[in-house]
Amino acid sequence: MSVLLRLGRFGAFSVAQGDGTAISLGAKHQALLALLCTAESGVRTRAFLEQTLWSLAQPEQAKASLRTALSTLKRHLGAASGVISANRERVILDLDNVAFDDGAQEAEFMEGFELPYEGGFARWLQQARNDIVSASAQSAEGQVQERRLRPEPLLPLIAVLPFVQLAPGEDASPLGSLVSEELSRSLARSQAFTVTSYLASRQFDLSKVSPAEVSAVAGVKFLVSGSVRANGQMMSAEIELHDAEREQVIWSRHFEGPLSDLMVGESQALSQVTRQIGQTLVGEAVRVAGFKPLSCLEGHTLLMAAISMMQEMTPDRFARAHEILTVLKERDPKHPLVLTWLGMWHVMRVQKGFSSDRKLDAELADRFASSALASDPCFSLAHTLKGAIASYLLFHFDQAQDSFDLALKDNPNEALAILLKGATWAYQGRPIEAVQLTDAARRLTPLGPQKYYFDSVSALANLSAQNYDRAIELADRSLQANSAYPASLRTKAIALQLSGRIGEAREAVRDLMSASPSFNLSQYFQEHPATVSQAGHEWGKALKQAGVPD
């Protein structure tokens, strides 16, 4: 097909007719073309374009602005206007009629380009610049290298700014820098955020720049700032969480803790900060997803809401999580994180007792895991999903351990892989390894809606080690966060029965049967992976003695 439009993406962004005649466009129209030409097959949803280019506008205003921008852009393109088409949901750039003049191989993607006040586009552009890699496409004839974009991150982008050191010691003490650097590490370890390097974010000073300006430069959605002072052997801090784009403080708290804990990287105060920030953002995401159209919401908001809803024992809320993940998949069909969480949804559907077809859910979960690994062969969470399917659903324990090892090779701190590797040892009658690994995983536990799950699996590991009091303690901790989770109720009932607390065991079984009315011993022996071991059969006898029907 003939070339109707020429785009130069590296160095100064350029637009020209097919014959090379330059086309002068405003910044917003250039940004619109950049988003389209970097999309899979040249297709972007209207919702994505509206949110990225008009993030501060009301939904109807953003829709109208996109319609106007498309009309104006096509008019400026003239004879090349046919390369752009649109329907009610998508905008398409016909890449077959577009040539890319990307001769400046060492130049930056859209060098020097800025779109003032549009934080959504600034984040996308910064991530694109960071993630562009050279894909070697050199043929025998010496073909030039092409460039590709990796999937956009879906976890919330957050930066911790340098904390202000209050007197005494403000001129010489590094306490402010130390607190903000440790908080950056704590947030990163939580696995709930994408955290900007502290070395990068420490260049900013909120007394000199606004949150929106930091957002535009650093490409972050949220900022953490604060002040800190030393009071003898104690540290006290005032910490705030900002919505950077809208320049709003959405959370503010006072924290105190021993300086000695901070110095060895074990500050409980900073762990509380991380936990509360995570809870705030997840809660806000669920709230917003509950009353705003999903098409209007940013990807990280949708993902946080979906992950939170997946933890609930209410079938309609669990189903809502699948609906949200499906919206994300429609926006980016090959994003490995979205595909992996869709697979996780099917595994959890079985674990929660919501599945009517265990085999079908296992097949769908495996399909999503394979698709995620096709997009990113090293993605640790997708390997973890593969291991969960092999272990919990198929009882292929050796295969599961191989998958967990691949996950940990890519990311040695993948908490879920460590946790489920421990669970798999518990199923196989290896209690020492099970407890060691699940304890290690709990130290890396994402401080958010999944914490109950980590406590539940750790309770199972301690049950396998006959640490009945500890198993009951962890099961209770899990049930405090998710009172109807069947696995925690089952572990608690078994541990109580085996430790001679018969009356309490029967009460736990009543709670279990209330949460899962169809549960019985036949189902347990057929579907629980621990029943391949002698311990698993003893657990079944304990459940029967406590009142679970045959």
Side-chain angles (χ1 to χ4, degrees):
M1 301 181 73
S2 60
V3 174
L4 299 179
L5 188 67
R6 294 184 177 276
L7 299 177
R9 299 173 294 179
F10 298 92
F13 191 77
S14 63
V15 184
Q17 300 280 359
D19 61 5
T21 303
I23 300 174
S24 179
L25 295 177
K28 188 77 71 149
H29 296 118
Q30 292 181 54
L32 179 55
L33 275 176
L35 290 167
L36 291 171
C37 75
T38 54
E40 183 79 20
S41 303
V43 180
R44 295 279 190 189
T45 65
R46 284 182 176 269
F48 174 81
L49 295 173
E50 291 159 8
Q51 191 66 29
T52 305
L53 295 175
W54 292 276
S55 59
L56 300 180
Q58 294 297 317
E60 290 305 318
Q61 181 184 351
K63 293 179 188 297
S65 296
L66 177 58
R67 288 195 298 269
T68 301
L70 286 170
S71 176
T72 305
L73 175 59
K74 294 187 74 167
R75 186 169 67 251
H76 283 309
L77 293 181
S81 62
V83 299
I84 293 180
S85 60
N87 56 34
R88 293 179 61 184
E89 296 181 353
R90 292 172 171 80
V91 178
I92 302 102
L93 177 66
D94 185 357
L95 296 179
D96 289 336
N97 293 121
V98 178
F100 295 102
D101 298 328
D102 292 340
Q105 292 294 305
E106 301 304 320
E108 183 180 49
F109 178 70
M110 298 188 78
E111 182 178 78
F113 187 89
E114 292 183 355
L115 198 59
Y117 310 114
E118 290 298 346
F121 182 80
R123 290 196 307 277
W124 174 85
L125 179 57
Q126 185 62 47
Q127 193 61 49
R129 287 169 174 166
N130 291 341
D131 287 350
I132 289 175
V133 296
S134 296
S136 178
Q138 194 145 12
S139 64
E141 292 77 24
Q143 192 174 6
V144 296
Q145 289 187 340
E146 296 179 350
R147 300 173 186 242
R148 68 179 179 86
L149 297 177
R150 289 178 177 172
E152 298 176 59
L154 287 178
L155 295 176
L157 294 163
I158 192 167
V160 180
L161 302 188
F163 279 33
V164 176
Q165 167 81 48
L166 301 179
E170 54 193 325
D171 293 331
S173 171
L175 182 58
S177 296
L178 179 61
V179 169
S180 45
E181 189 170 359
E182 282 299 315
L183 182 54
S184 293
R185 292 194 184 101
S186 181
L187 289 166
R189 284 196 298 265
S190 77
Q191 303 183 38
F193 313 96
T194 298
V195 183
T196 298
S197 165
Y198 177 67
L199 294 177
S201 60
R202 70 179 181 179
Q203 65 182 299
F204 299 109
D205 181 349
L206 278 185
S207 67
K208 299 177 182 178
V209 296
S210 70
E213 290 172 322
V214 177
S215 174
V217 174
V220 296
K221 171 68 174 174
F222 301 102
L223 297 175
V224 179
S225 66
S227 61
V228 62
R229 72 171 73 232
N231 299 315
Q233 297 302 311
M234 297 294 289
M235 167 202 75
S236 64
E238 302 292 336
I239 302 179
E240 295 179 342
L241 175 66
H242 305 253
D243 183 320
E245 291 177 1
R246 292 170 174 78
E247 298 192 335
Q248 295 177 345
V249 176
I250 58 178
W251 172 90
S252 179
R253 296 289 189 278
H254 173 82
F255 292 92
E256 293 184 353
L259 275 171
S260 57
D261 289 352
L262 178 66
M263 299 305 176
V264 296
E266 297 179 356
S267 172
Q268 290 299 313
L270 294 188
S271 293
Q272 290 177 13
V273 174
T274 301
R275 181 180 297 108
Q276 291 190 26
I277 288 175
Q279 290 171 343
T280 298
L281 296 185
V282 169
E284 179 67 9
V286 173
R287 183 186 68 81
V288 171
F291 74 88
K292 280 191 176 182
L294 300 183
S295 60
C296 300
L297 300 180
E298 294 179 336
H300 70 81
T301 299
L302 292 175
L303 183 63
M304 284 191 295
I307 292 173
S308 180
M309 291 179 183
M310 283 171 64
Q311 315 310 318
E312 300 188 24
M313 285 301 300
T314 308
D316 58 342
R317 296 277 285 180
F318 187 77
R320 176 70 167 168
H322 189 271
E323 179 184 348
I324 293 173
L325 290 169
T326 300
V327 170
L328 283 171
K329 183 175 180 293
E330 289 173 352
R331 292 185 184 181
D332 193 342
K334 296 183 179 181
H335 201 298
L337 187 58
V338 175
L339 293 167
T340 299
W341 277 108
L342 274 165
M344 290 289 188
W345 185 90
H346 285 281
V347 174
M348 294 179 70
R349 190 184 190 193
V350 175
Q351 290 177 329
K352 291 176 180 290
F354 295 158
S355 175
S356 59
D357 191 333
R358 181 188 178 98
K359 182 179 178 181
L360 177 60
D361 277 306
E363 291 174 354
L364 291 172
D366 188 66
R367 191 179 306 167
F368 282 121
S370 297
S371 296
L373 289 171
S375 293
D376 185 349
C378 294
F379 188 40
S380 61
L381 193 61
H383 283 297
T384 302
L385 171 58
K386 279 280 193 179
I389 297 165
S391 178
Y392 187 83
L393 298 181
L394 303 178
F395 308 169
H396 297 162
F397 300 130
D398 289 344
Q399 181 181 332
Q401 297 288 18
D402 288 343
S403 292
F404 296 138
D405 287 342
L406 286 171
L408 294 170
K409 181 179 180 181
D410 177 60
N411 178 10
N413 293 316
E414 183 63 70
L416 189 59
I418 297 171
L419 182 83
L420 297 181
K421 185 178 178 68
T424 303
W425 284 130
Y427 301 149
Q428 296 175 276
R430 301 275 292 273
I432 296 175
E433 295 92 333
V435 172
Q436 288 175 340
L437 286 173
T438 55
D439 281 351
R442 288 178 63 254
R443 289 193 289 270
L444 294 169
T445 303
L447 297 171
Q450 286 183 285
K451 192 172 187 302
Y452 82 95
Y453 182 70
F454 279 64
D455 287 335
S456 180
V457 175
S458 189
L460 174 77
N462 279 273
L463 177 64
S464 72
Q466 300 182 19
N467 300 331
Y468 299 134
D469 289 343
R470 180 61 173 159
I472 295 166
E473 177 189 349
L474 288 165
D476 280 337
R477 188 180 300 175
S478 173
L479 293 168
Q480 287 176 3
N482 196 332
S483 61
Y485 187 50
S488 298
L489 290 167
R490 187 170 56 237
T491 297
K492 181 180 179 179
I494 294 168
L496 286 167
Q497 181 69 32
L498 292 177
S499 58
R501 296 159 66 175
I502 310 302
E504 293 173 85
R506 289 188 173 276
E507 184 178 345
V509 164
R510 284 193 290 270
D511 291 339
L512 173 61
M513 299 310 299
S514 177
S516 302
S518 62
F519 179 69
N520 55 47
L521 289 175
S522 176
Q523 179 185 354
Y524 167 77
F525 281 109
Q526 182 177 356
E527 298 183 357
H528 198 287
T531 54
V532 301
S533 69
Q534 180 61 37
H537 282 270
E538 292 176 359
W539 298 349
K541 293 177 183 178
L543 287 172
K544 182 173 183 177
Q545 291 167 356
V548 173
D550 292 332

